[in-house]
Structure formats: C-alpha cells, structure tokens
Amino acid sequence: MQPKPNIVHLPVYQPGRPVEDVKRELGLTEVIKLASNENPFGCSEKAKAAIVDELGSTSIYPDGASVALTADIAARHGVEPEQLIFGAGSDEVILMLTRAYLVPDDETIMADETFPQYKHNAEIENAKVIEVPLKDGKHDLPAMLARVTDKTKIVWICNPNNPTGTIVTHAEVEAFMEQVPGDVLVVLDEAYCEYIDDSAYPDGFGLMRRFRNLVLLRTFSKIYGLASLRIGYGIGDAQVIRSINQVREPFNTTRFAQAAARAALADEAFVDACRTRNAEGLRYLTAAFDRLGLSYFPPYGNFVMFDAGHPSAEVFDGLLRHGIISRSRWNLYPTHIRITVGSQQQNEAFIGALEQVLDELAVRVQG
C-alpha cells in the first residue's frame, strides 16, 4: 500500500524534547524545558476550576459549534459569531484553511523561516510553496507581494514570527493589504499577540474590517497557558469562515478546552500578570546576551532567538547536559538557538548553563 506521493518526503513535526525523556536519558533530576514557548506560569486558577466542573460530563460530546465560547469571543472582539471558527489549536485552523482553499498547483506564499505548519499543510494539498527570505529576521512584505501571481491563493504572515520573534508593523501590513488582490487570502497569525505592548503592532481587527480577504489566527496555548487542551481560533469574513467550517471535523474541540478557554478569557488579571512577568524575563535575557556579546533578534513574543556563535546542535547538546531543553537546528540560522522566556529562576539557570557551555565550546575550539 502506497501513500500519496506528495507526502512521502514530508518531515514529521518534532516538538521540544519531553522533560521525562531527558531526565531518563541523561540521569538528571532537574530539567527545565524552554523549547516550546509554553507559559511557565501555568494557567488561570479559574480555568482549572472550569475543567473540574466538566469532569462529570466526560461521557457527553462537546458543543460542536462552541456556541458559548463563540459568543464570548465575538463580544470581546466586536465581531459576529459567524466570523469565528475553532480548532484544536490554531494549527488545526491552518490545516482547515489549506484543506478548504488549496488544490494541486495553487501557489501559497510564506517566509523561508517561519512556523512550519503552513508549508507542511500546503504540501499535503500538493500546492506549490513559494518561500520568500526574511529580511533581518522579519517578513519582507514587499518581496512577498512581488511573488503574488494569478495562481496565488494564500499568503501567510506569522506576527510575531516564529522562530525569530520579530514583527511587521501596522503600517507595513496595511500597505501590503492595499496592494494584494482581493481574491488572495492573507492569514495573519497572531499566536503571541497578547504579549505585545507596542503601538506599532498591527490592529488586526481594524484591518480585517477593511479587507475581507484577511483572516486572523489566535490561540489559547500561549499566554493563556492551555497548550495541553489544544484550542485556538480563526476570525475572518463570514463567507470565508463558512468555507473553512465546511471542512471542519465534528466535535473537534473538547468540552474541557471550551470551558477552560471561556474562564481564561475572563481572567484578565492573570493575563496582565503573565505579560508583565514575560517582559521582565525578556529584559533579563537580552541584557545577559548583551553582556555575553551575543546578538539576537528583537523579541516580541515569549521567546528569544539568539546567535550562540557555535553550531546550534553543539550548543543544544551542551545545554541539554546541563538540564536545559532549548530549540535549535534552523535551516537558515545554523548557529542560532530559540529559548522560551521562563520564570526568573529558570531564566537564571539557563543563562548560567549557557555561560558554561560557551566556555566549554571555546576551550574545545582553542584546543
């Protein structure tokens, strides 16, 4: 039995190394995972309580249309319920977008180093992927616009970009949207937007009201701390969302995820606290990189991508031996490491381990 020929070359997604695996493999008792941009401060206590309240209903299917959660988010963002669709994380919304809109030989445009699920799902649909080089770690929107043809169906903009952490501004996205043909779907992935306090960051909802071909992606996996529950959503023109809904699997989000998301959305104090602590962590990490003479991309999410000055696989392995799980092996950035902002204790442990690893590698090079 043979699979579809266009998928045989696709890589399997590799998440960050599990903590227990690293402990077992290296005989460590303490391991800190800073690889998957998870929230080190957990989730809202209100979300936990909402999950517990649903335990008595485990035998009952969830609301397939997420009616209550849809109403809450529609009210929060000032959109109509028909403009929302939910998925098992925003990555399932990406899957549904490609399933609904891409056919073989369609073209889809994205950065050459960005969230890999755009390319992965486009290739499953046998679409032609056009990758445009980042410019100083940022999406080069004019260069992306220049690659639009009559075959282009979807353009993907990850903002902040994963893995580099950079952003494109409201003015840049607005100028891009004003020139993109109206029959080309533009997906603005804002998975980390809640961490940002910068007036230059795009007003996605304002842009969406002007441009019917713009879709926004959001998730509860990052600042809300619900990564294990897998729930995210897309917002766009009602007709676009209806088309995506036509390929959505039934009951694709759990009742636990829906209840926790509603509670998390209402706990603004928790989100504010996480944003503040994340900003403190970013300042600590970037100051340490400055002190160590390591360059890095301007970070806007809950992670930093920095140049370690050595092959990233060596730095990754060195950090792992010190009990720190990071992220490495970027095709276009062979000496870069992406590190998630942790608690202050975790950040200090990471910097201490990094200093030791860099000293070890420097000795090895000199020897």
Side-chain angles (χ1 to χ4, degrees):
M1 291 174 19
Q2 296 296 320
K4 293 163 62 174
N6 59 297
I7 72 163
V8 294
H9 72 288
L10 296 183
V12 176
Y13 183 77
Q14 297 296 324
R17 291 284 302 276
V19 169
E20 293 307 317
D21 283 358
V22 174
K23 286 182 177 179
R24 185 167 47 251
E25 177 185 331
L26 299 178
L28 299 172
T29 56
E30 295 294 330
V31 171
I32 299 171
K33 183 184 177 188
L34 299 175
S36 299
N37 301 344
E38 296 150 326
N39 189 337
F41 310 115
C43 71
S44 163
E45 292 299 320
K46 295 178 181 179
K48 294 178 185 178
I51 295 168
V52 172
D53 287 344
E54 291 294 327
L55 290 177
S57 303
T58 55
S59 62
I60 302 171
Y61 281 115
D63 172 10
S66 305
V67 171
L69 179 57
T70 295
D72 287 353
I73 292 183
R76 167 67 65 90
H77 296 310
V79 299
E80 296 301 319
E82 295 77 18
Q83 293 181 263
L84 292 162
I85 186 167
F86 291 86
S90 56
D91 47 357
E92 191 191 19
V93 184
I94 294 167
L95 181 154
M96 291 188 283
L97 277 160
T98 60
R99 180 183 288 182
Y101 281 94
L102 296 179
V103 298
D105 299 323
D106 278 346
E107 293 181 357
T108 182
I109 298 172
M110 62 198 66
D112 60 350
E113 193 71 87
T114 191
F115 188 50
Q117 294 309 101
Y118 312 142
K119 181 177 182 179
H120 181 82
N121 284 291
E123 289 187 328
I124 289 173
E125 302 303 326
N126 217 9
K128 181 180 179 182
V129 174
I130 308 297
E131 296 180 279
V132 177
L134 294 172
K135 186 175 183 180
D136 299 323
K138 286 181 53 176
H139 283 72
D140 188 344
L141 296 185
M144 295 175 80
L145 182 67
R147 300 299 301 272
V148 173
T149 72
D150 57 3
K151 291 185 177 181
T152 305
K153 277 286 191 69
I154 304 178
V155 178
W156 307 88
I157 304 172
C158 188
N159 201 41
N161 186 44
N162 181 5
T164 56
T166 56
I167 65 167
V168 285
T169 67
H170 183 91
E172 290 169 328
V173 176
E174 184 176 42
F176 179 80
M177 292 302 303
E178 287 172 343
Q179 298 175 78
V180 170
D183 60 351
V184 174
L185 199 63
V186 179
V187 179
L188 189 60
D189 188 344
E190 300 183 318
Y192 301 91
C193 66
E194 293 90 355
Y195 285 107
I196 299 173
D197 183 17
D198 189 316
S199 60
Y201 189 71
D203 173 10
F205 288 96
L207 292 169
M208 190 184 67
R209 294 183 185 99
R210 286 185 57 195
F211 303 102
R212 295 182 60 189
N213 58 326
L214 181 65
V215 172
L216 309 179
L217 299 183
R218 298 285 181 95
T219 184
F220 284 92
S221 295
K222 302 306 177 184
I223 204 167
Y224 292 103
L226 302 179
S228 69
L229 295 184
R230 311 307 304 125
I231 187 159
Y233 58 104
I235 319 102
D237 178 78
Q239 186 57 49
V240 172
I241 296 302
R242 182 180 185 278
S243 297
I244 303 169
N245 242 324
Q246 289 175 302
V247 302
R248 180 178 60 84
E249 298 296 330
F251 310 117
N252 64 320
T253 62
T254 70
R255 63 186 312 117
F256 302 105
Q258 291 176 30
R262 293 188 67 200
L265 193 70
D267 193 349
E268 295 183 11
F270 175 80
V271 173
D272 290 343
C274 289
R275 184 184 302 112
T276 298
R277 296 174 76 179
N278 182 75
E280 293 169 353
L282 283 176
R283 287 193 292 271
Y284 172 81
L285 291 173
T286 53
F289 295 147
D290 289 339
R291 175 174 56 81
L292 295 170
L294 303 176
S295 63
Y296 51 88
F297 292 112
Y300 285 87
N302 68 336
F303 58 94
V304 189
M305 190 176 189
F306 67 97
D307 188 348
H310 299 273
S312 62
E314 296 181 7
V315 180
F316 174 89
D317 290 341
L319 288 171
L320 202 64
R321 290 193 299 273
H322 288 274
I324 306 292
I325 307 174
S326 61
R327 201 64 184 264
S328 66
R329 296 177 174 85
W330 311 105
N331 291 334
L332 302 177
Y333 299 100
T335 60
H336 282 66
I337 294 287
R338 191 194 71 192
I339 198 76
T340 303
V341 178
S343 66
Q344 185 59 24
Q345 182 179 9
Q346 290 172 332
N347 294 334
E348 291 174 1
F350 157 66
I351 292 298
L354 178 64
E355 290 177 317
Q356 294 183 58
V357 170
L358 294 180
D359 287 344
E360 293 164 2
L361 291 173
V363 170
R364 188 186 307 172
V365 170
Q366 294 171 358

